Amino acid sequence: MFKGEVVMVTGATRGIGKSLAGAFAAQGAMVLIIGRNAAQAMAVAAEIKAKGVLADGFGCDVTDFTSVQETVNKILDIHKRIDILINNAGITRDNLLLRIDEQDWDEVIKVNLNGVFNVTKAVTKPMLKARKGKIISISSVIGITGNAGQANYAASKAGIIGFSKSVAKELASRGITVNVVAPGYIRTEMTEQLADPVKEKVLEHIPLNRFGEAADVAGVCLFLASKAADYITGQTIIVDGGLAI
Ligand code: NDP
């Protein structure tokens, strides 16, 4: 489905991002694995390539504006184009408002929101030239519903939605779509850190009665990046088993 297309996935060294990269590679795309650690990013790319598909890895901290620009330039030198961007890199630093410190607030906003700005801005230039592109950012259902103990995370993820709607309006006339996927509880290292009683409580509120898998998120991203979604922009698709109904 994506033969000849170049897909850049941030935060692809593990979890949802790694699964997204594998899903696009399996559909014929050249996938670019982005993570802070270059060796780790290249190792994941090698793992994907071992399956006989196309991948490359780059070390880049999405919070570093200059490094993001340099990485995108390097990618364009080597691979000539970026057709699809998935802004997936994200972190949590959970705490109640009264206990959250300035550093935990800043770190989450920097990675989850400034990171999306930095990478989207850098990638938009070649997409404008090509007059085509698909930008998908991974928000969270928490950015829509809010959650006690996650004010920083919720603010960053809600910010992604407002940012994406604005950029969707700016780029629509150039054939570039900008959409958001808001997952609920997906089983990854990030959520494995939660205590068992917390997990049990979350499960009670999921109508489909199971936690999500990275593949559930990948399915929606493949759709949004495909020709079938050419007339969809500025939208947020929730993938949460009904949690936020
Ligand atoms: P993980 O913690 O498993 O993976 C996060 C990825 O982001 C890693 O590859 C990490 O790589 C990368 N990363 C972190 N900081 C940076 C940075 N500054 N620059 C570049 N890469 C970075 O998270 P998940 O797979 O669980 O989550 C992926 C996305 O999905 C996140 O945005 C998260 O908020 C969102 N999400 C997850 C949900 C879930 O239930 N798991 C639910 C809703 C949304 P490295 O540390 O090597 O740099």
Side-chain angles (χ1 to χ4, degrees), residues 30-150:
M30 148 66 77
V31 291
L32 309 174
I33 309 295
I34 311 294
R36 275 173 300 187
N37 183 313
Q40 225 175 329
M42 285 191 277
V44 171
E47 213 180 292
I48 292 175
K49 275 199 285 191
K51 293 178 185 152
V53 288
L54 301 170
D56 200 354
F58 296 85
C60 174
D61 184 332
V62 297
T63 67
D64 183 338
F65 184 85
T66 308
S67 166
V68 169
Q69 293 282 342
E70 286 169 0
T71 304
V72 167
N73 289 340
K74 204 189 300 176
I75 288 168
L76 292 173
D77 276 350
I78 303 170
H79 298 289
K80 310 298 173 208
R81 52 197 283 178
I82 299 171
D83 301 285
I84 298 160
L85 163 65
I86 318 261
N87 282 310
N88 166 79
I91 60 166
T92 51
R93 296 282 182 274
D94 297 351
N95 222 331
L96 295 170
L97 179 64
L98 289 180
R99 294 206 196 111
I100 205 166
D101 61 24
E102 205 183 345
Q103 191 182 342
D104 286 345
W105 173 268
D106 286 344
E107 268 183 41
V108 168
I109 300 294
K110 267 192 196 157
V111 178
N112 297 5
L113 191 52
N114 294 13
V116 168
F117 163 73
N118 291 341
V119 185
T120 304
K121 188 173 163 70
V123 164
T124 294
K125 283 180 199 154
M127 284 185 177
L128 282 171
K129 250 193 202 164
R131 291 194 151 262
K132 86 187 256 286
K134 305 262 189 192
I135 298 170
I136 299 163
S137 298
I138 309 298
S139 171
S140 166
V141 80
I142 301 301
I144 296 164
T145 62
N147 194 26
Q150 291 198 298

